[in-house]
Amino acid sequence: MSLRTSPGTTAVAPGGDALLDEELGRRLREADEVAFAAIYRKWSPLVHTMATRSLGDSWEAEDVTQQVFIGAWRGRAGFHQERGPLGAWLVGITRRKIIDALAARTRRLTLAKAAASMAETTQPPTAPPEAVLDRVLLVHELASLAPVQREILCMAFFDDLTHTQIARRTGIPLGTVKSHCRRGLQKLRDGIEQGLPEAA
């Protein structure tokens, strides 16, 4: 399931008919995909805005928005009207996903620093200039990747995790993990090739 906010949506807190929300909540619990699509259209702008304001990164906000609604669908049995309205339940999920994203960002920074440190210490002092250049280019290009791509590549190469293990650890769908890996590796290759001096 792939969910993305459409461009041009405004983040106005949904108001309107509480009875409609109750109906949508009831139908969500019954796994009604039409109702779920209506919930997404109604609430995704607010979820996306909350994520953007907290994370300061539109790409991460898109991922969080997707994770919120995937979580809502998978956890629909946990929604109970008597405990609060549908919107409040979705906002609660959003806050948890934002916290997860911030924690993941901290892990990414730690991994990037570890990667840089490893690159600096794994080569002997007498490493040839070409090896030094490769190392510098790799660290530079790794740091320039989108945060999610950097984290996934670090987990794949430094933690030696499979795509499935990364998806399980991060909560990111397997297809998205594979896509990030593919795009991230291509960006690394392109960046390193552009940074290499032309052969004389």
Side-chain angles (χ1 to χ4, degrees):
M1 180 183 302
S2 178
L3 300 171
R4 292 290 179 194
T5 53
S6 58
T9 54
T10 56
V12 177
D17 191 352
L19 292 177
L20 173 60
D21 285 349
E22 287 184 15
E23 175 67 12
L24 288 174
R26 181 186 63 77
R27 289 169 59 191
L28 171 65
R29 283 179 55 86
E30 295 171 355
D32 185 324
E33 293 187 11
V34 174
F36 182 62
I39 291 167
Y40 178 78
R41 286 193 300 271
K42 183 174 182 180
W43 292 98
S44 62
L46 177 62
V47 168
H48 186 266
T49 295
M50 287 179 63
T52 301
R53 287 175 179 170
S54 296
L55 300 169
D57 184 295
S58 60
W59 179 264
E60 282 186 282
E62 287 287 341
D63 276 349
V64 165
T65 301
Q66 181 172 348
Q67 290 303 312
V68 166
F69 286 94
I70 290 173
W73 177 256
R74 290 176 176 168
R76 60 189 179 274
F79 171 66
H80 301 282
Q81 300 275 8
E82 63 274 12
R83 297 180 186 172
L86 178 60
W89 183 68
L90 291 171
V91 166
I93 296 173
T94 302
R95 287 174 177 156
R96 290 192 295 274
K97 295 299 182 182
I98 288 171
I99 290 170
D100 290 346
L102 290 170
R105 177 183 292 176
T106 300
R107 291 195 301 271
R108 285 194 299 271
L109 292 173
T110 301
L111 286 169
K113 289 177 181 177
S117 176
M118 183 181 299
E120 291 171 359
T121 58
T122 52
Q123 294 289 339
T126 56
E130 295 82 5
V132 174
L133 177 60
D134 287 347
R135 187 166 70 246
V136 169
L137 287 173
L138 176 61
V139 172
H140 172 74
E141 293 303 328
L142 189 62
S144 71
L145 291 177
V148 174
Q149 289 177 340
R150 183 166 61 245
E151 177 188 20
I152 289 174
L153 287 180
C154 285
M155 293 175 95
F157 291 104
F158 297 112
D159 292 348
D160 200 27
L161 298 181
T162 66
H163 290 160
T164 301
Q165 289 170 327
I166 293 170
R168 191 177 304 119
R169 179 175 294 187
T170 61
I172 298 173
L174 179 59
T176 305
V177 169
K178 291 180 179 179
S179 178
H180 279 317
C181 270
R182 184 172 59 253
R183 289 198 302 263
L185 285 172
Q186 186 60 52
K187 286 181 182 178
L188 282 179
R189 278 194 292 267
D190 292 345
I192 290 173
E193 286 173 2
Q194 290 173 8
L196 290 173
E198 294 182 4

